[in-house]
Amino acid sequence: MKLREVKHNFEFAYPTPVYSCMVTDYKNIQREIESIAKKTKWVSTKHKNWGLTHYLSEDIFEGNVIGEKFVIELGKHLDTYIQCFNSNKFQWMITNSWLSLFKKGNYGHVHNHGVATISGVYYYKTNEKDGKLFFRTPNPYYQSNNIWENFTQELTIEPKQGLLVLFPGWLDHGIQTNETNHDRISLSFNVIIN
C-alpha cells in the first residue's frame, strides 16, 4: 500500500514591513544634519505620566528640518520600500520632521505616528549602545496564549550612524533607555503617499 503524499502550505497573514538600510550618501547627509543640529534649540518632552523622556528640536512637528541631500536619499529608499508591497507609481510628501536628543536616562515611550503612511528615523549620532528602537506587534492577540506568543512580540533594531529605518506610521514603537554617557541624536519624519 502506498502512502498518500501530503503537501503543506504555510503563509504568514498580515505581515508588517519594516525596512532598514545604510544610506549611500553618508558623508554629505551627516554634514547636512550637523549644520541643522548646531542651530537646534532643544525642548524637553517632560510628560506628567512618563517624566522626562527625551528632547526634541524646538519646532516640534510643525516644520521640516530635513535638508536636500537627505530628501534625495530618502526618495531612493522610499521607492524600494514601497515597491515591495505596491507596484503602482506614487507621490510622497514629508509632512513633518524633527531631531531627537537622548541623553543618559532618556527613552522614548511606546507610541505611533497615527495617520502617517510611512514614518522613519535616521541615526545621525550614536555609539550603538545608547538605546535600541523596538516595535510592538500590531496583533495584541499574540499574547493570548503560549502557542502564539512565540511569534515576535518585539522587533528591535540597534542604532548605527547612517542607518535609515522606515515603517508604517501606525506601528507602535519606542526607544530603550540610553544608559550610556553618550548623547544620541536622530532625525525622525513622517511621510504621506498619494
Side-chain angles (χ1 to χ4, degrees):
M1 177 176 173
K2 187 175 179 182
L3 292 174
R4 197 176 96 196
E5 187 178 323
V6 178
K7 292 187 179 183
H8 297 282
N9 183 28
F10 279 99
E11 291 185 42
F12 286 88
Y14 317 115
T16 304
V18 175
Y19 171 94
S20 64
C21 185
M22 297 300 290
V23 296
T24 54
D25 195 12
Y26 175 74
K27 287 182 181 177
N28 286 323
I29 289 171
Q30 286 293 102
R31 278 195 291 267
E32 190 172 68
I33 295 174
E34 180 181 29
S35 70
I36 296 166
K38 281 182 178 178
K39 296 183 264 181
T40 296
K41 291 184 179 158
W42 299 102
V43 177
S44 69
T45 56
K46 192 164 188 171
H47 189 278
K48 63 180 181 176
N49 296 328
W50 305 313
L52 176 59
T53 58
H54 60 289
Y55 300 84
L56 298 174
S57 49
E58 187 176 42
D59 56 350
I60 301 173
F61 313 124
E62 294 174 7
N64 186 357
V65 298
I66 293 179
E68 182 181 327
K69 303 271 187 216
F70 187 84
V71 169
I72 292 167
E73 180 86 25
L74 178 59
K76 296 176 202 173
H77 294 284
L78 282 171
D79 231 7
T80 303
Y81 181 55
I82 293 169
Q83 295 288 328
C84 80
F85 51 88
N86 182 352
S87 60
N88 298 328
K89 293 280 184 191
F90 62 91
Q91 291 184 335
W92 57 274
M93 182 179 81
I94 298 167
T95 57
N96 50 20
S97 62
W98 60 97
L99 293 175
S100 297
L101 169 64
F102 291 82
K103 294 178 172 288
K104 185 173 185 173
N106 290 166
Y107 67 98
H109 65 280
V110 176
H111 65 286
N112 63 57
H113 294 217
V115 298
T117 311
I118 296 170
S119 293
V121 62
Y122 172 78
Y123 293 101
Y124 161 66
K125 181 180 172 189
T126 176
N127 67 5
E128 301 180 17
K129 296 176 177 69
D130 43 20
K132 295 178 185 174
L133 171 65
F134 65 89
F135 297 97
R136 292 270 169 90
T137 176
N139 185 345
Y141 300 105
Y142 276 150
Q143 300 169 19
S144 66
N145 63 57
N146 61 353
I147 296 289
W148 301 117
E149 72 183 1
N150 291 327
F151 286 90
T152 182
Q153 290 297 310
E154 278 188 5
L155 167 67
T156 59
I157 295 179
E158 291 189 21
K160 184 175 175 84
Q161 279 187 196
L163 181 68
L164 173 69
V165 181
L166 303 174
F167 53 92
W170 50 259
L171 184 60
D172 283 347
H173 60 284
I175 299 94
Q176 295 172 345
T177 302
N178 179 359
E179 296 177 353
T180 73
N181 291 316
H182 183 267
D183 291 351
R184 187 182 75 217
I185 298 177
S186 54
L187 168 65
S188 298
F189 52 89
N190 290 320
V191 173
I192 56 169
I193 305 283
N194 295 325

